[in-house]
Amino acid sequence: MKKFRFLSVSILMILFQGVQAQHTDVINSNRPGLSMSAFSVGKSVFQVEGGLYGYRENHDIARYNSNGMGMELDFRYGVLLEQLEVIVNFRYQYDKYFSPLVEQTRSGLRSSIIGAKYLIYDPYKNYEEKPNLYSWKANHKFKWRQLIPAVSGYVGMNVGLANDDYAFPNEPVISPKIMIIGQNQIGNRYVLVTNIFYDKITTDYKTLGYIITLTRGFNEKWSGFIENQGFKGDFYSDGIFRIGAAYLLLDNLQIDASISKNIKDTPGLFYGGAGVSWRFDKKYQPVKIEKEEEGGKRVDKKKKDKKDKEEKKRLDKVDG
């Protein structure tokens, strides 16, 4: 049976090998959803994720509407440790705003955030799942360990570079954002990512929210996702649903597309966009894997795992 690989949150190799490395065979992108995965890109790995979007906003009660386009750009870099990643996010927008008394064109940075993410707990650390070379069924049965999520913590700062047209009244120049990230690998096809965040904590516009993303791999190139985001604050609360897909052009290059719609009409929002993710990992040094004993001889664990997987793949084809 053919093995599936995920594009947006590709950690399958990590889970099967039990290796502590964050770097994966194929690019591990947070796009096209808005949730953040628990795993970093890997030490000394640089990754850029960006896209263009168009949107429409209508508020029947306030009697205004706006439409325009924007650009999202994320820079990710693994520093010091495999588990640590620095993330810089920018969002630029251009739109036209209409109301009974105002008609204007706006443009500028809508948000800018600098933060860092650290993997706190990996349920597969120091754990090795050895394939059963004689049973396809044993290798594909449900495993309770899948219910234990990998957990990361994120700390960031909203930096007051936003255009006055998009900033809240009297909003502080700097405000913190914190987040807890959970990630589950479910079988060979699904990844579930959960983000719980508290944004702009020290301001009058603090917001508590969550993002839940379920990604499914269809084959080695295609994946799709569904996502729900909810947030609640004194100034604004809402819920948003997203769907989309990603396609792997190369191991280090992915393209994507998605659409979003909220559940309210005060205002009603609709977004659609497409993007690309690219990874530069030429400077990445694979994590050293300890050798283990086998039959009284010292064996390179990486080579042994590769041999086991090749044998398992051969048996899967025979069973299939």
Side-chain angles (χ1 to χ4, degrees):
M1 179 175 287
K2 192 173 185 178
K3 184 181 293 185
F4 290 84
R5 282 195 289 177
F6 290 92
L7 309 179
S8 299
V9 278
S10 301
I11 59 168
L12 190 57
M13 299 302 294
I14 295 175
L15 300 184
F16 278 139
Q17 294 182 30
V19 181
Q20 298 177 29
Q22 307 294 291
H23 185 268
T24 54
D25 283 357
V26 298
I27 187 170
N28 170 15
S29 176
N30 290 324
R31 291 188 61 88
L34 290 187
S35 64
M36 190 180 295
S37 66
F39 294 89
S40 75
V41 292
K43 184 180 177 181
S44 75
V45 175
F46 172 75
Q47 189 162 307
V48 58
E49 304 170 8
L52 298 175
Y53 65 87
Y55 89 98
R56 184 177 68 248
E57 178 178 343
N58 295 285
H59 200 302
D60 294 335
I61 297 177
R63 300 175 60 193
Y64 78 80
N65 68 82
S66 65
N67 57 80
M69 61 181 298
M71 180 180 67
E72 300 168 318
L73 194 59
D74 289 2
F75 297 100
R76 303 172 59 186
Y77 186 68
V79 295
L80 299 178
L81 303 170
E82 278 288 312
Q83 300 91 338
L84 182 62
E85 174 181 297
V86 173
I87 309 162
V88 181
N89 168 269
F90 296 102
R91 185 179 178 187
Y92 178 90
Q93 189 164 299
Y94 169 87
D95 61 38
K96 293 184 178 181
Y97 177 90
F98 303 93
S99 72
L101 299 177
V102 178
E103 180 176 332
Q104 69 178 117
T105 298
R106 306 179 298 183
S107 64
L109 278 175
R110 182 145 194 171
S111 66
S112 52
I113 306 174
I114 301 174
K117 176 181 68 178
Y118 182 78
L119 181 67
I120 300 170
Y121 174 73
D122 179 0
Y124 288 86
K125 180 179 180 180
N126 299 324
Y127 171 82
E128 180 184 3
E129 182 180 323
K130 296 182 178 180
N132 189 321
L133 302 181
Y134 304 100
S135 173
W136 181 92
K137 183 177 181 180
N139 289 320
H140 292 80
K141 69 179 182 180
F142 178 81
K143 300 174 180 61
W144 289 102
R145 184 174 288 270
Q146 298 174 20
L147 300 179
I148 306 174
V151 178
S152 287
Y154 169 88
V155 177
M157 283 288 177
N158 296 280
V159 182
L161 300 177
N163 185 290
D164 290 340
D165 292 331
Y166 300 119
F168 292 117
N170 302 316
E171 184 177 353
V173 175
I174 294 178
S175 61
K177 177 180 181 179
I178 59 174
M179 181 162 52
I180 293 294
I181 304 165
Q183 181 165 326
N184 297 80
Q185 179 82 29
I186 305 173
N188 292 343
R189 302 188 181 187
Y190 294 92
V191 171
L192 179 67
V193 175
T194 304
N195 293 177
I196 300 175
F197 62 88
Y198 196 19
D199 196 11
K200 301 186 178 182
I201 301 170
T202 58
T203 75
D204 295 333
Y205 308 102
K206 49 184 172 290
T207 302
L208 181 65
Y210 70 87
I211 307 176
I212 300 175
T213 308
L214 180 65
T215 302
R216 185 187 191 277
F218 299 111
N219 53 44
E220 293 186 352
K221 295 292 185 179
W222 283 100
S223 70
F225 84 100
I226 57 174
E227 183 173 275
N228 174 229
Q229 178 182 4
F231 48 91
K232 182 176 180 57
D234 293 336
F235 185 78
Y236 181 61
S237 301
D238 206 345
I240 300 174
F241 289 90
R242 299 183 184 91
I243 59 172
Y247 180 77
L248 189 69
L249 290 173
L250 301 169
D251 284 352
N252 285 0
L253 184 65
Q254 171 190 291
I255 57 175
D256 63 73
S258 65
I259 58 174
S260 308
K261 181 70 178 72
N262 71 331
I263 61 176
K264 300 175 64 175
D265 57 5
T266 54
L269 301 171
F270 179 80
Y271 283 81
V276 62
S277 302
W278 174 75
R279 177 179 72 178
F280 178 79
D281 59 355
K282 298 300 182 182
K283 295 182 179 180
Y284 178 75
Q285 296 295 326
V287 174
K288 184 178 180 180
I289 303 172
E290 294 182 358
K291 295 180 179 180
E292 59 180 17
E293 297 289 340
E294 184 180 272
K297 297 181 180 180
R298 301 291 286 178
V299 179
D300 187 294
K301 184 175 181 294
K302 189 172 183 179
K303 291 182 179 178
K304 177 180 179 297
D305 286 343
K306 183 178 180 180
K307 182 179 179 181
D308 287 346
K309 284 192 294 179
E310 288 175 350
E311 180 64 18
K312 176 179 174 296
K313 185 176 181 181
R314 185 185 68 79
L315 291 171
D316 282 350
K317 289 181 178 179
V318 173
D319 291 342

